[in-house]
Amino acid sequence: MIAFLFKRLVWGLLVLIAVAVITFFLSRVVPADPAAFLAGQNASEETVQRIRVEHGLDRPLPEQFATYMIGLAEGDLGESIRTRRSVSTDLKQYLPATLELLIVSFVLYLAVSFSLAVLAARRPGGAVDGAIRLITMIGTGIPVFWLGMTLQFFFFYKLHWLPLGARFPIRETAPPVISGFLLVDSLLAGSLSAFRASLKHLTLPAATIVVNLLAVGTRLSRAALIQEQSRLYVRTARGKGLSPNRILFKHILRNALSPILTATTMQFGYMISWVILVEVIFDWPGIGLYAYQSFQVFDYSPVIALAIVSTAGFVIINLVMDLLYPVIDPRVQSVGS
Amino acid sequence: MILSVRDFAIGFQREGQNLVAVDGISFDVEAGETFVIIGESGSGKSLTGMSIAGLQPPTAFVSGSIRFKDREMLKRPDAELRKLRGPEIGLIYQDPLSSLNPVWPVGDQIAETLVAHGLAGRAEARKRAVEMLERVRIPDPRRVASAYPHEISGGMRQRAMIAMALAAGPSLLIADEPTTALDVTIKAQMLELLAELKHEMALTIILITHDMGVVAEVADRILVLYAGRIAEVGPADSIMLQPSHPYTAALMTSAMISQTPAKQELNAIVGGAPGLGAFPAGCRFHPRCPRAQNDCKAVEPPRRKFGVVELACHHPIEAAMSLTAARS
Ligand SMILES: Nc1ncnc2c1ncn2[C@@H]1O[C@H](COP(=O)(O)OP(=O)(O)OP(=O)(O)O)[C@@H](O)[C@H]1O
Ligand code: SF4
Ligand SMILES: [Mg+2]
C-alpha cells in the first residue's frame, strides 16, 4: 500500500515536471514579447528593456529555463508581469473560486447523471430512455460558449432570474474570507442572503459545465446499471423477495459504482478544461480567467502555473479514486498489486 | 399436495413469431417429497422452476395455471409474489459465486432476507444468519458470515446460498442445478446436506438437474422433460430402473454406459435436442427415437397412465424388456 502510494506520487511528480517543461517551451516559442506588451505602445525602448531585465527575459533560453525549474522546485511559480505579484499569491486568491465552481459542478453532475441513468435503465430502449438520450445529446452537442451565452440571454436578459456573471454582487460586501468558498464563508458569517447570492452566481456556470458533460456521464452510468441488472446476484435478490427499489439501491448501485467511478475520473479531466472556458464566459474570477487574461498579454508564468495546477488536480483525483476502489469493491485487494 | 401445475405453457415472441418453450405441462408435487425435473439443455427445466416462484422472464408470455398452496401464482402481482419468495419458497442456483452479491459479506446477504420481510431486526437477523450458516454445517460460521463470497470456497458458497434460501423458513425449495458447478466429493456432501435439511425443516424440494447420479441419490419422483413437453412422470425407482418411455430409457442407458460428466451423458443420445421453434411434428422425440414408427411422425402421443407412471408415447417399452430395448 505504502509502496503503491509512493510509486503513484513519484509518477505524478514526473507528469507534473513534464507538463512544466512542455508548457515552458511552448510559451517561449510564441513569437511575442510580453515586455513590449506590458510597456504599452508608446513606451521607449529603454522601458521595454528594463522590464525585460527585471523579469529575466533578456537571458538566454536555457538559463531562463534553469531559473524557472529551480524556482519550481522551491515552490515558486514565478511572477506575473501583469499583476506584478508572485503567481503563488495570485493562485491563493483565485484557486478557491475555481475549486468551488468545480466541486459544485461535479456534485451536480454526479447527482443529475446518476438520476437520469437510473430512470433510463429502468426500461432500456423505452420512451424515457430515448428521451433522456436525446436531451442529453443535445446538451452535449451545443458548444460550451454558445450554451453559456444562451443561458445568460434567457436567465439574465429575459427573465432577470440570475446574474450575468462574477461570483458575488458588486454592490454588496462579500462575507469575510475564511475558506475562500463563498458558499461556506457566507454560512460561517451567518448570512443566508449572501449564501443565496453566491448560489445564484454559481448556477449558470455550473449548469453550463454539467449540461455539457451530461450525455457521456448518463450514458456511462446507464450502461453500468444495465450491465449490473443482468447479473446473477440480481436474480438471487429477486428470489429472496426483495422489492425492485431495494434491489436497485442496495445491490445494483453498489456494484455499478466501480465502473461509474472510472468513467467519472475521466469526466473530471474534461471538467477541469471546461471550467477555464466557462470562467471566461461568466467572468468567474478563478484561475481559468486569471490564466486567460495573462495569456492575452503573453504573461507566461500564470499560464504554466495553470497547466501545472490542473494537472496536479487530475493526478490527485486519480489517486483518490484508486484508493477508493478497494473500499467500494472488496474483490480489489490492493490497488498496488 | 403443495404444488399443482396445469397446462402450463411459457414462450417468447421473436421476430413476430410465438416460440413456445414449455408447451402445456401438468404435474403435482406432494408436500415433503423430492421432485426431480430432468431433461436435456433447453428442454424448459429452468423456465418451469422459475415460473413456480413467479420469476419467469418479464418478456415471456405464460398460460395455464401454477397453484402453490392453493394460491394461483401466474396471475399474482409481483408485489404479492415477493412476499412468498423467502418465507414460502426458497431458491438456489447453479453458480453460487456469481449468484451472491460480490460486494456484500455473506452473513449480511443471509440476514437481508429476514430484514426485508420484516421477520427480524438488523441485529437479530445477523445472529440468525450465523445460526443458519451453522445449520448448513459450516464449521466456522462467524468467520464465514463476515467474509465476502470470493473469500470462501465453492462448496461453502453453495452452503451459504442454501442458508440464504432457507433463512426465512420456506416450505418449498427450488434448486436449479445446485451441484453442477461442484466437484464430486462436494457434490455428495451437498446432496447429503439437502437430504438432512429436508428432514429437519420439513421441506419439499424441487430439484432441477442434468445429473443422473444426483437423480439416483435423492429423487422421490421424477419428471422427464423433452423439448418443452413431458415425456414421462412417475416414481423414481420405476423411472430409473425400468423406464418405459424410449427417451428416458436412452437417458438411463447413456448414463450407465458413460461415466462422463452429467451434461454429456444426456447429450450422448444420437442427434441433438431440437431448439426453440424447431420442434418436430408428431412426437417431438421421433427423429431420435429407436422405436419410432409412422404414427409417431404424424400424431402427438397423448399423455396416459402406463403401469405406475404417466407417459406420452405411442410405443412404450414393456417393463421386462426396457433396458435391453433401449440398448438395441
Ligand atoms: N429470457 C428468454 N428469452 C428467450 N428465450 C428464452 C429465455 N429464457 C429461456 N429461453 C429459451 O427457452 C428454452 C428453455 O430454457 P430453459 O432455461 O428452461 O432450459 P433448461 O432446460 O433449464 O436448460 P439448461 O439445462 O441449459 O439450463 C431454451 O430454448 C431457451 O433458449
Ligand atoms: S411416441 Fe414414438 S417417437 Fe415418440 S417416444 Fe414413443 S415411440 Fe418414440
Ligand atoms: Mg436451466
Side-chain angles (χ1 to χ4, degrees):
Chain A
M1 191 65 197
I2 302 287
F4 164 77
L5 265 181
F6 183 74
K7 221 166 77 188
R8 289 303 295 264
L9 282 176
V10 168
W11 184 241
L13 213 62
L14 285 177
V15 172
L16 284 181
I17 292 171
V19 166
V21 171
I22 292 168
T23 43
F24 180 88
F25 282 106
L26 276 181
S27 69
R28 289 314 194 265
V29 295
V30 178
D33 185 353
F37 225 87
L38 199 77
Q41 271 181 346
N42 305 322
S44 66
E45 182 54 34
E46 285 91 70
T47 324
V48 175
Q49 186 57 30
R50 205 195 62 238
I51 294 175
R52 268 195 208 118
V53 174
E54 214 172 275
H55 292 277
L57 292 169
D58 57 331
R59 306 278 159 187
L61 197 56
E63 195 187 323
Q64 284 187 37
F65 178 65
T67 318
Y68 185 78
M69 290 311 283
I70 290 167
L72 255 193
E74 292 166 352
D76 177 6
L77 289 164
E79 277 207 2
S80 163
I81 302 174
R82 186 175 61 91
T83 65
R84 295 175 191 281
R85 295 195 302 179
S86 83
V87 173
S88 313
T89 314
D90 283 341
L91 281 188
K92 253 178 228 134
Q93 183 185 338
Y94 297 123
L95 194 57
T98 299
L99 283 182
E100 186 168 41
L101 177 56
L102 209 54
I103 290 170
V104 168
S105 307
F106 192 59
V107 170
L108 198 65
Y109 157 76
L110 284 184
V112 176
S113 67
F114 213 77
S115 316
L116 289 179
V118 167
L119 285 178
R122 283 238 160 119
R123 277 195 53 215
V128 177
D129 186 21
I132 289 175
R133 183 194 307 256
L134 186 69
I135 291 167
T136 54
M137 292 268 269
I138 291 173
T140 300
I142 301 172
V144 170
F145 64 89
W146 197 83
L147 176 66
M149 277 153 47
T150 309
L151 290 177
Q152 284 173 330
F153 179 74
F154 279 106
F155 291 96
F156 175 71
Y157 291 108
K158 287 279 168 195
L159 299 169
H160 306 292
W161 284 357
L162 295 167
L164 183 62
R167 277 183 97 189
F168 206 75
I170 294 172
R171 288 190 188 78
E172 291 168 35
T173 34
V177 179
I178 298 169
S179 65
F181 296 160
L182 277 177
L183 288 179
V184 178
D185 288 346
S186 52
L187 285 184
L188 288 177
S191 166
L192 265 183
S193 68
F195 182 79
R196 217 171 307 122
S198 331
L199 205 57
K200 275 188 167 178
H201 281 78
L202 258 171
T203 307
L204 288 187
T208 306
I209 295 174
V210 170
V211 168
N212 185 263
L213 292 176
L214 217 47
V216 182
T218 307
R219 194 162 64 226
L220 292 171
S221 301
R222 171 188 172 274
L225 289 176
I226 289 174
Q227 182 159 34
E228 288 304 319
Q229 277 169 354
S230 65
R231 299 249 190 252
L232 290 178
Y233 69 79
V234 175
R235 179 182 70 179
T236 307
R238 279 201 205 105
K240 284 155 82 175
L242 308 184
S243 68
N245 275 338
R246 193 181 175 101
I247 294 174
L248 175 65
F249 288 107
K250 297 247 163 180
H251 291 269
I252 293 177
L253 282 197
R254 185 70 202 289
N255 278 281
L257 226 48
S258 300
I260 289 174
L261 203 63
T262 312
T264 306
T265 319
M266 279 156 46
Q267 290 290 89
F268 200 78
Y270 287 110
M271 206 170 263
I272 290 176
S273 48
W274 286 134
V275 146
I276 295 161
L277 194 51
V278 166
E279 283 185 2
V280 174
I281 300 169
F282 289 94
D283 203 21
W284 187 266
I287 56 169
L289 186 61
Y290 168 62
Y292 172 77
Q293 286 167 346
S294 307
F295 185 76
Q296 282 184 316
V297 296
F298 303 102
D299 184 4
Y300 306 132
S301 297
V303 181
I304 305 174
L306 174 75
I308 293 174
V309 167
S310 48
T311 308
F314 196 58
V315 168
I316 290 170
I317 281 288
N318 267 294
L319 191 64
V320 170
M321 298 291 182
D322 276 341
L323 293 177
L324 272 179
Y325 280 122
V327 179
I328 288 173
D329 188 341
R331 284 167 299 181
V332 182
Q333 280 302 324
S334 157
V335 269
S337 56
Chain B
M1 188 179 14
I2 190 168
L3 183 77
S4 163
V5 177
R6 288 289 171 274
D7 299 318
F8 169 67
I10 183 166
F12 302 90
Q13 204 126 39
R14 201 178 294 162
E15 287 155 12
Q17 252 188 310
N18 285 350
L19 300 179
V20 181
V22 173
D23 191 4
I25 63 172
S26 303
F27 61 91
D28 294 332
V29 176
E30 300 297 333
E33 73 175 341
T34 300
F35 187 83
V36 175
I37 304 178
I38 60 173
E40 278 162 292
S41 190
S43 54
K45 306 182 294 296
S46 296
L47 284 177
T48 305
M50 296 304 274
S51 302
I52 293 170
L55 285 173
Q56 64 274 16
T59 51
F61 58 82
V62 293
S63 66
S65 134
I66 294 180
R67 293 186 77 78
F68 168 72
K69 289 191 171 173
D70 287 328
R71 296 185 192 88
E72 176 56 53
M73 300 297 275
L74 285 184
K75 285 165 198 90
R76 195 163 282 264
D78 191 60
E80 277 183 51
L81 286 169
R82 287 206 292 273
K83 291 183 199 146
L84 299 176
R85 284 181 226 131
E88 286 288 352
I89 302 176
L91 295 125
I92 57 175
Y93 315 92
Q94 171 172 351
D95 185 348
L97 180 57
S98 22
S99 295
L100 287 163
N101 187 335
V103 302
W104 276 40
V106 169
D108 289 2
Q109 299 191 44
I110 299 170
E112 191 192 20
T113 316
L114 296 166
V115 175
H117 289 285
L119 297 171
R122 204 167 281 274
E124 166 72 10
R126 258 171 219 218
K127 221 178 74 201
R128 300 234 314 249
V130 176
E131 284 166 18
M132 274 317 293
L133 287 172
E134 205 166 358
R135 192 140 203 194
V136 295
R137 327 288 195 253
I138 283 182
D140 191 357
R142 259 166 218 294
R143 187 187 63 81
V144 171
S146 55
Y148 289 100
H150 70 277
E151 294 172 337
I152 56 178
S153 72
M156 290 285 187
R157 278 182 216 127
Q158 193 56 291
R159 281 165 198 267
M161 280 295 291
I162 295 173
M164 187 159 79
L166 299 182
S171 46
L172 175 65
L173 177 69
I174 301 173
D176 191 349
E177 311 205 24
T179 57
T180 307
L182 305 172
D183 69 46
V184 184
T185 33
I186 312 269
K187 189 193 287 184
Q189 291 171 8
M190 208 59 62
L191 292 176
E192 199 177 315
L193 173 68
L194 280 179
E196 287 167 12
L197 288 172
K198 180 189 156 199
H199 207 74
E200 289 169 23
M201 305 181 75
L203 290 173
T204 306
I205 297 180
I206 296 180
L207 181 74
I208 294 167
T209 187
H210 276 115
D211 189 331
M212 289 306 158
V214 172
V215 182
E217 203 82 29
V218 297
D220 292 323
R221 283 197 309 136
I222 297 175
L223 171 76
V224 184
L225 267 186
Y226 185 82
R229 299 282 280 161
I230 290 180
E232 186 169 13
V233 57
D237 292 349
S238 138
I239 290 199
M240 298 281 302
L241 301 174
Q242 301 183 320
S244 315
H245 194 285
Y247 176 59
T248 321
L251 280 185
M252 298 307 158
T253 346
S254 60
M256 271 190 292
I257 294 166
S258 65
Q259 291 299 316
T260 45
K263 200 129 188 162
Q264 280 112 49
E265 284 175 17
L266 287 185
N267 296 337
I269 307 166
V270 196
L276 197 53
F279 298 149
C283 173
R284 291 180 181 181
F285 186 53
H286 84 252
R288 300 165 80 193
C289 180
R291 295 172 69 85
Q293 296 175 25
N294 278 337
D295 53 348
C296 302
K297 293 175 192 153
V299 185
E300 181 152 14
R303 178 158 156 182
R304 62 183 163 117
K305 216 158 166 46
F306 190 78
V308 290
V309 302
E310 287 190 36
L311 50 66
C313 174
H314 294 304
H315 313 288
I317 308 161
E318 299 296 335
M321 55 178 290
S322 63
L323 284 183
T324 27
R327 278 205 194 93
S328 65

